[in-house]
Amino acid sequence: LITPHARFRINSQFSNDPVLRAREPQELWLHPADAAARGIAPGDRVEAFNSQGRVRVPARVTEDILPGVVCLTAGAWPELDEAGIDTAGSANLLTSTEPTLPSQGTRTHSVGVEVRAL
């Protein structure tokens, strides 16, 4: 999982603005080959998950991302359902708070996840 900046947010600022949310929906980008292997079509709800958490969002199937890589833009505020699963696409729920070694940096730019259709 990569987590680049969104075009219409400054980190999490404006994440709650419905006009800006409509201009850039929070979607999980994945390559057509990866989508086909998982039975995922454009717009299907998918779940990205790992040992840290679970995020459910629509799929954006595009050749604009490499096979084996998925993308979720950073800065979305979490919206947890009754089971504690995020439905807004907050990449923070998939990242660890344990710093990298030796720099003690954050782990927000490359995180291993699995993806499945819902």
Side-chain angles (χ1 to χ4, degrees):
L1 171 70
I2 58 172
T3 58
H5 287 282
R7 293 180 300 160
F8 299 107
R9 287 194 302 264
I10 303 167
N11 298 320
S12 62
Q13 293 177 15
F14 308 117
S15 178
N16 62 342
D17 185 308
V19 173
L20 297 179
R21 274 182 144 176
R23 289 193 71 185
E24 184 178 22
Q26 194 69 350
E27 301 168 310
L28 185 76
W29 293 34
L30 66 161
H31 190 272
D34 294 327
R38 291 164 177 80
I40 297 169
D44 285 355
R45 297 225 18 112
V46 297
E47 182 175 77
F49 63 96
N50 60 19
S51 62
Q52 300 297 315
R54 298 178 179 283
V55 173
R56 293 178 176 169
V57 292
R60 178 174 182 176
V61 179
T62 176
E63 291 190 8
D64 291 339
I65 192 158
L66 293 172
V69 178
V70 293
C71 173
L72 193 59
T73 55
W77 281 94
E79 295 175 11
L80 303 179
D81 67 12
E82 61 281 345
I85 298 171
D86 176 52
T87 59
S90 176
N92 288 350
L93 273 75
L94 300 169
T95 61
S96 172
T97 58
E98 183 179 329
T100 61
L101 296 174
S103 67
Q104 301 299 305
T106 61
R107 298 179 184 265
T108 58
H109 296 291
S110 181
V111 176
V113 298
E114 294 292 331
V115 176
R116 68 176 163 217
L118 290 176

